[in-house]
Amino acid sequence: MQSYRDAPARGDRGAGVADATRHDALTGRLLDGRYLVGARIARGGMASVYEATDTRLDRLVAVKVMHSGLGDDDEFAARFVREARSAARLSHPHVVGVFDQGEDDGVVFLAMEYVPGQTLRDVVRAEAPMRPARALALIEPVVSALAAAHRAGLIHRDVKPENVLIEDPEAGGRVKVADFGLAKAVSADTQHTVTGGVLIGTVSYLAPELVVDGRADARADVYAAGVMLYELLTGAKPHEGESPIAVAYKHVHTDVPAPSAAVPGIAPYVDALVARATSRDRTQRPADAGVLLHQIHRVAQAVRDGVDDDPELTADLAPRPVRDLDLEERADRGPDATVPVILPSSAVGNDTASDPFDAVDLANYRNDSFGSGGFETVAGRPPQPPAEPGPGIVLRDHDPVTVSPTPLPKRPATLRPVRQRRSRKGPILFVLALLLVIAGGAGAYWFGVARYTTTPGVIGLSQAKAEATLAEAGLEARDGTPAYSETVPAGEVLATDPEPGSRVVDAGTVTLVLSLGKERYDVPQLKGMTEDQAQDALAETSLGFGKSVERWNESVPEGEVIRSDPESGTTLKPDAAVDLIVSKGPQPIKVKDWTGMDADEAVDAMNAKGLEVEVVDEEYDDSVPEGHVLAQSPASGTLHRGDRVDLTVSLGPQLIAVPDNLIAMGVENAKAAVEAAGFEVSVVNGPAYIGLGYVIDVDPGGGTMLPKGSTVTLILV
């Protein structure tokens, strides 16, 4: 089995790939006059990977071919060459080596080290959730490879389990990271945000800053490594959603939860390590993978020592909540002050800051105009005053705001007493102002508090009970999109919008999200399909392809699926791995030459292998004993079960009767008769020999059956 993946798409692996690549235009092509392209072993969103032979060095390599939509652009091709050269300079035992890069008639490709084995995604499916010691042992070489890249000034940008390859044990079992520089080559000179452009990378592992403004540094790789560590520990991604944008939104707004919340018993310092690596504030993360590697070594040592809790290590690793400087403090320090201030944990809540996912009008101001005369307007909208932080508003813990202090008006150099006239307008204006304040307060109370009520908690109730509870609170229920849940039974309320305890306008609407129960899928009937067809059927059923196991089969043609493991009809979780048992066709049987050997043994041995044996003839033979094989057809080669082998069996030497009329016959006549029968003749004188020359006795006697050529003795008188 070969596993070499470029993206989360399920790859074509093993013997069954031949069917898929038989019509692939690249299969059999010689790229750059050097690389003979073989079977496709993986396919993804940006490239396909082929097994290939380097004809110049006579070695097996993996050739990654960019999809035509990317390779057609000359600017991309040049950028891709630059990044490939950077990746080729990266030499590390845990990095997939880049051997060559080229372009052949519009085909842009990389020649890389071929790694037989599986990906980290396969390990997650098979083993997660796993013990912290195992998870740290798997993530350590990945971070080590990233650390080497960061020291060389190279950022991966697309760290994910599919890009982590694990060799087969017999090949060394090393962990290797692939695809350095590819994401940068694709994403260079492009603004990648959720509101414009294209996000390069797998959304489940994107750092918040990549989602917001597309800018990446070493800390984006650190974030992705932290998410992978969470997935190894829990068996699930930290953020799930109905669409990629929903997942990206959670990366920006929601902290990665502690692994111990999903898998109780994980040490607090392991939680702290994950929290530090996946902090949404990148200033809180390790500066690069080298720093993270040091922290992993500390945590791994504590795990090896069996430490259940180490408050000092936990406190050292845990990220520290921060807020921007107070506005007055910024004004005192100058317009560029952005130094964070440490807050106690009790002062920090969920992030409520705006980003490109929020309402469109949030884009109608810029922070750099704050404190310098108001907010900049967009598309003719009137400027909106900045909101002052007040009670109950959680301060944003990132994206510091630049503040320019507004200078106070200068005081006149000389003050002179001025005599003023009394005016009756003063009390009237005061009363009017007071009335306006009261009216404004009443309006604010109505629009801000009085017309709102609290969303009741209905999670875990049936739909009917939830609707009745909402109706009692003066609210209307609306059906949302149902969702699967591992904990909430089908038909009960899984979530509400707004959430329980949130404010909602009186007589407003609350959306109910009902649980579909546990998400499970039945293994489809795969018998008789090709391996590619079976993989597609698994993908359509939201199940994962594990590995192909080839077996000899007399009835199922080569390349077709005999059965699946687990069997069809088995109910599994989404992405659960299903192995395919694929036929190699009838098992070949090497024919042994049984000539000269016992025929019964020959028949039993060949019948045991499934061959049909037929004795077609029996013949006398002076050299082959009776009951032994005199001839065999075929006597060599390869057959299959049910094929026929013909045998000719020896009857042994042919027996002849000794003539029985030799007594009293003259010696010459008797000798002639014996020789005519096919025997050798020996003449001896008997005890009473008197010279007459007649036969008095024969040994053996007349009528005795002897093999042709045997000796018959004539005794004379």
Side-chain angles (χ1 to χ4, degrees), residues 42 49 69 72 93 157 201 234 244 253 288 334 337 533 566 595 599 611 645 693-694 698 701:
V49 182
D72 293 342
R157 288 177 170 82
T234 65
H253 283 283
D288 57 27
Q533 291 171 340
T595 302
L611 299 176
V645 178
Y694 288 94
V698 179

Side-chain angles (χ1 to χ4, degrees), residues 212-238:
V212 174
D213 56 22
R215 298 175 184 175
D217 58 14
R219 291 169 294 187
D221 286 351
V222 168
Y223 184 91
V227 174
M228 286 172 52
L229 177 57
Y230 177 92
E231 193 171 358
L232 291 172
L233 291 167
T234 65
K237 298 181 179 70

Side-chain angles (χ1 to χ4, degrees), residues 163-175:
N163 279 336
V164 178
L165 311 180
I166 303 176
E167 286 182 326
D168 286 330
E170 55 268 24
R174 288 177 298 176
V175 177

Side-chain angles (χ1 to χ4, degrees), residues 216-293:
D217 58 14
R219 291 169 294 187
D221 286 351
V222 168
Y223 184 91
V227 174
M228 286 172 52
L229 177 57
Y230 177 92
E231 193 171 358
L232 291 172
L233 291 167
T234 65
K237 298 181 179 70
H239 298 314
E240 301 284 358
E242 295 180 355
S243 66
I245 288 183
V247 176
Y249 183 94
K250 291 183 179 180
H251 279 290
V252 175
H253 283 283
T254 307
D255 289 330
V256 170
S260 61
V263 182
I266 293 178
Y269 53 81
V270 177
D271 285 344
L273 174 65
V274 174
R276 171 61 65 90
T278 60
S279 173
R280 287 179 294 133
D281 179 3
R282 59 181 171 184
T283 63
Q284 295 267 29
R285 292 179 221 145
D288 57 27
V291 179
L292 177 61
L293 183 62

Side-chain angles (χ1 to χ4, degrees), residues 580-595:
L580 301 178
I581 313 302
V582 181
S583 173
K584 294 197 294 184
Q587 183 174 7
I589 302 173
K590 187 175 181 180
V591 178
K592 177 181 177 180
D593 187 1
W594 288 87
T595 302

